[in-house]
Amino acid sequence: MTDSIVKAFEGILKGDQEQVAEHVQLALDEGTAPREILNEGLISAMDRVGVLFETNEYYVPEMLIAARAMKAGLEILRPELMNAEVEAVGKVLIGTVQGDLHDIGKKLVAIMLEGAGFQVVDLGVDTPPEKIVEALKAETADIVALSALLTTTMMNMKGAITSVEEAGLRDQVKIIVGGAPVTEEFAREIGADGFAADASAAVKLAKTLMS
Ligand code: B1M
């Protein structure tokens, strides 16, 4: 890990947005690969925050400021993770399910999909099934991507799929799911068309479904 990546990592733990942005930029200027900065600096720092929360060293406010700092780094990386040259290959509606406020993983998946040429409509966090159905009626999307970070909210993915079925739209769209507690088996159980463990896998899955 380079010194700049270490400083970005430490900046997230301290919730220092400026330190994170500065050192992510520095790492890029030094020629470090964007994926390396993302994985070793930003994502691993959030994993560490999760551990500190579990061991009661961090509480919700610390998690929140760490998330803001992570987002400051992600914004610097965004153009590097995207490739504007590629043609639109499909349209994806993405949202974090009802009751769930975690948005970083969803945002990262959205950025990577855009980078792979997908047009992405971000429905935000705490997305009720009705909002997904309304958006599907308004946009001609190929894929709906659902994110959940809590064991308590992942069941709301099933509710979202049921609502799409009840609206008579299920055969027009593929529904894919992901997020830390979600598994391949769970995706099958709730009738999703696919599961992706991370943002790269989500891009691969979306491309496969489009073909
Ligand atoms: Co929360 N939180 N949180 N939190 N939080 C977790 C998820 C937790 C694991 C922490 C812990 O205990 N170790 C735990 C969940 C336990 C469980 O259910 N098993 C937890 C808890 C308990 C809570 C609260 C209940 C705490 C409380 O209030 N007592 C509360 C719930 C609020 C709510 O949602 N209703 C809460 C609140 C928050 C904050 C708001 C403070 C903040 C989020 C701020 C924000 O997002 N703007 C927060 C944070 C930051 C975390 C951790 C520390 C970090 C999450 C993150 O951003 N990771 C998290 C611990 C952890 O994950 N290590 C934790 C980085 C991100 C890049 O990874 O989101 O996993 P991730 O996304 C990945 C993959 O999962 C996948 O690709 C992404 C990129 O590779 N993926 C998809 C995600 N979505 C996908 C969709 C797809 C495909 C792939 O579509 C096809």
Side-chain angles (χ1 to χ4, degrees):
M1 228 197 276
T2 67
D3 193 44
S4 304
I5 294 181
V6 172
K7 288 272 171 15
F9 180 102
E10 289 170 354
I12 290 180
L13 293 192
K14 285 192 280 177
D16 186 334
Q17 297 182 46
E18 274 176 26
Q19 177 170 331
V20 177
E22 184 189 332
H23 287 88
V24 166
Q25 187 59 59
L26 209 58
L28 284 173
D29 296 344
E30 288 161 358
T32 311
R35 292 290 181 101
E36 190 180 335
I37 304 170
L38 177 68
N39 291 328
E40 292 185 8
L42 307 189
I43 293 184
S44 63
M46 292 313 284
D47 284 344
R48 179 84 190 120
V49 170
V51 172
L52 292 168
F53 178 75
E54 275 170 22
T55 53
N56 295 325
E57 285 162 84
Y58 275 18
Y59 295 93
V60 173
E62 285 88 355
M63 272 208 290
L64 203 52
I65 58 164
R68 282 195 201 129
M70 152 86 175
K71 282 201 238 173
L74 203 53
E75 282 310 312
I76 307 272
L77 279 184
R78 178 194 276 269
E80 306 298 326
L81 296 170
M82 297 186 39
N83 175 1
E85 302 288 303
V86 280
E87 263 178 52
V89 289
K91 190 167 183 178
V92 182
L93 294 184
I94 190 165
T96 303
V97 293
Q98 189 162 34
D100 200 318
L101 301 174
H102 296 85
D103 77 344
I104 294 175
K106 183 250 313 154
K107 199 171 181 178
L108 194 52
V109 173
I111 291 173
M112 300 295 271
L113 283 169
E114 280 175 0
F118 284 88
Q119 190 187 343
V120 179
V121 179
D122 192 339
L123 301 174
V125 296
D126 191 14
T127 316
E130 311 84 66
K131 188 171 174 186
I132 297 168
V133 170
E134 269 169 39
L136 264 178
K137 285 181 180 162
E139 317 266 352
T140 44
D142 304 292
I143 296 172
V144 171
L146 300 173
S147 176
L149 262 284
L150 300 171
T151 44
T152 47
T153 57
M154 61 194 266
M155 280 319 294
N156 294 339
M157 290 177 153
K158 172 74 183 147
I161 295 175
T162 305
S163 295
V164 173
E165 275 165 8
E166 286 172 358
L169 302 168
R170 184 67 183 94
D171 54 354
Q172 293 169 27
V173 71
K174 301 287 183 195
I175 303 182
I176 62 176
V177 294
V182 181
T183 61
E184 185 93 56
E185 194 190 356
F186 176 76
R188 255 197 314 274
E189 271 170 28
I190 62 169
D193 297 300
F195 156 77
D198 57 32
S200 305
V203 169
K204 216 182 270 177
L205 175 63
K207 281 184 175 168
T208 307
L209 291 172
M210 288 306 294
S211 63

